Amino acid sequence: MAKRDYYEVLGISKTASPDEIKKAYRTLAKKYHPDVCKEANAEEKFKEVQEAYDVLSDPQKREQYNQFGHAGPQMNGGFGDGAQGFSGGFGGFEDIFSSFFGGGARTQQKTNGPRRGRNLKVGIELTFEEAAFGVEKIITLTKYETCKDCSGTGALSKKDIKVCPHCHGTGKVYVEQNSLFGRIRTETVCPECNGTGKIIEHKCPTCHGEGRVKQTSKIKVRIPSGVENGKILTVSGRGEAGYNGGMAGDLFIQVTVKSHELFTRDGLDLYVELPITFSQAALGGEIEVPTLEKKCLMKIPSGTQTGTKFRISGKGIVNSRSGSVGDLYVTIKIVTPSKLNSEQKKIFKDLANTNEKSDRVFSKIKKFFKG
């Protein structure tokens, strides 16, 4: 459906002044606002009026529109942005009020009730072993705590806390003002008690009436075994103190785990690369394998090749919360000796004179070259 001319929508001429544009918009916005108008297409008309005003009230957009119409180069797809905020329904008269009065007529939320304290986030670095086995850490924080001298009331004594005479303890007052909709009664925060509903005659000398003081404290936290790099742990109630008797916020701890010189990790499983000698690989037998706790023995068969992977069950990481246990995966790496003494050289020469290349792989290669 083709869009109507914006001047026609507002019922004004193309030479209308900014004041005439604003006056026409206010009249039509009041007429077609869905909270007032009962016509079936009130919402569409309201959007159309809003869109027209957004363009014609902006000198640059108006100039572009006068030259190019709805297809103007700066029209952003037919002024689609002009009606944003109305697609999800209408919040009463506040939407219009805020555009006319800068939001001054919006209803203020009641503020004299308890309010939760701010959440805090800190980072902590763990060694590979600390993350695997769990550890207790002391975290130092500077944050707002409930004032111990007044127990968070902000007053020198309970007798110094009085009901605000201006708002009668509600924390809010009503203000009346004239507008294009007539006389409007709006709610706002009480300026005398700042929304608390209370007046403190003699303030606590420690917190100066705030009920909270900023101080540095040490918190002992238990890091569970099996925690992974990047994990965020939550310590409930260890954030900043609340307001007016509200709950404290939470403390979020982001974990960074250092790498290990031998082991890598995937979930609860550990991986290690184990170097062995030619003789160990050829003859097989028991070899010592490092774990996070202590060495253990693992049998390898004779003829083990480089890259062969073995699994040792239950030698990974334990998750203290779920009780799950990972495994240890050992990848064999045969090390070629770089320096040989005379005795070792003789042994390898003797080996070379034997049927050392009887393996099937060598046989296939030999057959290939013979053609």
Side-chain angles (χ1 to χ4, degrees):
M1 181 178 178
K3 289 188 176 184
R4 287 201 298 156
D5 179 80
Y6 288 140
Y7 293 98
E8 180 186 341
V9 171
L10 295 182
I12 56 177
S13 68
K14 291 189 176 182
T15 59
S17 67
D19 286 340
E20 289 175 327
I21 294 173
K22 184 181 292 187
K23 182 178 180 181
Y25 167 64
R26 289 184 174 183
T27 301
L28 293 172
K30 178 181 178 181
K31 178 180 179 181
Y32 291 119
H33 193 283
D35 286 348
V36 177
C37 184
K38 301 304 179 184
E39 294 181 21
N41 59 347
E43 181 175 335
E44 287 73 22
K45 287 185 177 180
F46 185 87
K47 288 182 179 180
E48 188 178 47
V49 169
Q50 178 72 37
E51 185 177 305
Y53 177 72
D54 285 344
V55 174
L56 299 183
S57 63
D58 184 305
Q60 185 176 357
K61 287 183 178 180
R62 184 179 181 183
E63 183 179 351
Q64 292 290 325
Y65 177 74
N66 289 340
Q67 283 187 275
F68 305 102
H70 293 293
Q74 298 181 13
M75 295 298 110
N76 295 324
F79 306 94
D81 293 338
Q84 65 181 351
F86 297 100
S87 60
F90 297 85
F93 284 108
E94 291 89 347
D95 296 311
I96 297 180
F97 289 162
S98 61
S99 65
F100 294 156
F101 305 114
R106 286 187 179 273
T107 301
Q108 298 292 330
Q109 188 178 16
K110 188 176 180 180
T111 60
N112 64 335
R115 284 184 292 155
R116 197 170 185 269
R118 189 165 62 100
N119 293 331
L120 299 177
K121 184 177 180 180
V122 297
I124 188 172
E125 189 176 58
L126 304 178
T127 66
F128 198 90
E129 288 84 358
E130 286 174 335
F133 298 121
V135 67
E136 278 191 348
K137 287 286 186 178
I138 302 296
I139 296 176
T140 302
L141 288 175
T142 299
K143 59 173 183 170
Y144 281 102
E145 300 273 13
T146 300
C147 178
K148 294 180 180 178
D149 292 340
C150 67
S151 299
T153 64
L156 185 62
S157 69
K158 291 183 179 180
K159 295 179 181 179
D160 292 306
I161 304 174
K162 308 292 184 182
V163 175
C164 175
H166 192 65
C167 66
H168 306 291
T170 63
K172 58 187 178 182
V173 293
Y174 294 94
V175 178
E176 291 189 353
Q177 61 181 1
N178 293 319
S179 74
L180 64 95
F181 298 107
R183 192 76 172 165
I184 297 177
R185 187 170 183 256
T186 58
E187 179 186 300
T188 187
V189 173
C190 175
E192 296 296 321
C193 65
N194 201 27
T196 64
K198 298 176 292 187
I199 295 293
I200 299 176
E201 291 187 346
H202 298 96
K203 296 180 180 180
C204 170
T206 303
C207 65
H208 307 289
E210 293 295 321
R212 307 189 313 165
V213 290
K214 200 166 192 177
Q215 61 186 39
T216 300
S217 58
K218 295 182 182 295
I219 300 173
K220 181 186 289 187
V221 295
R222 176 67 190 174
I223 308 298
S225 66
V227 66
E228 296 188 59
N229 184 56
K231 178 73 174 178
I232 296 179
L233 305 175
T234 303
V235 185
S236 300
R238 299 312 298 264
E240 290 195 336
Y243 300 85
N244 212 22
M247 293 176 59
D250 295 333
L251 174 63
F252 297 101
I253 304 172
Q254 183 161 17
V255 176
T256 300
V257 181
K258 295 180 181 179
S259 59
H260 195 277
E261 60 181 348
L262 291 180
F263 299 100
T264 56
R265 177 180 174 182
D266 182 10
L268 299 179
D269 293 328
L270 292 176
Y271 294 81
V272 65
E273 191 176 74
L274 186 65
I276 64 173
T277 64
F278 274 118
S279 58
Q280 287 176 315
L283 301 175
E286 286 190 333
I287 59 173
E288 284 189 339
V289 177
T291 72
L292 283 179
E293 295 185 270
K294 58 183 179 180
K295 294 179 180 179
C296 69
L297 293 176
M298 180 183 76
K299 287 185 178 181
I300 60 170
S302 60
T304 295
Q305 304 295 311
T306 285
T308 303
K309 185 181 291 185
F310 298 93
R311 180 174 69 91
I312 304 178
S313 179
K315 290 297 182 180
I317 295 172
V318 179
N319 186 308
S320 60
R321 291 181 173 176
S322 66
S324 301
V325 184
D327 298 326
L328 173 63
Y329 290 88
V330 182
T331 302
I332 296 300
K333 180 181 180 182
I334 300 175
V335 179
T336 303
S338 57
K339 293 181 180 181
L340 297 173
N341 57 35
S342 58
E343 183 181 355
Q344 290 170 329
K345 287 181 180 179
K346 183 179 182 304
I347 293 173
F348 276 103
K349 285 180 181 179
D350 292 341
L351 179 62
N353 293 326
T354 64
N355 194 19
E356 182 187 4
K357 297 183 179 181
S358 62
D359 186 91
R360 280 186 296 175
V361 176
F362 286 108
S363 298
K364 288 181 180 179
I365 294 175
K366 188 176 180 180
K367 183 178 180 181
F368 174 81
F369 282 115
K370 284 184 176 182

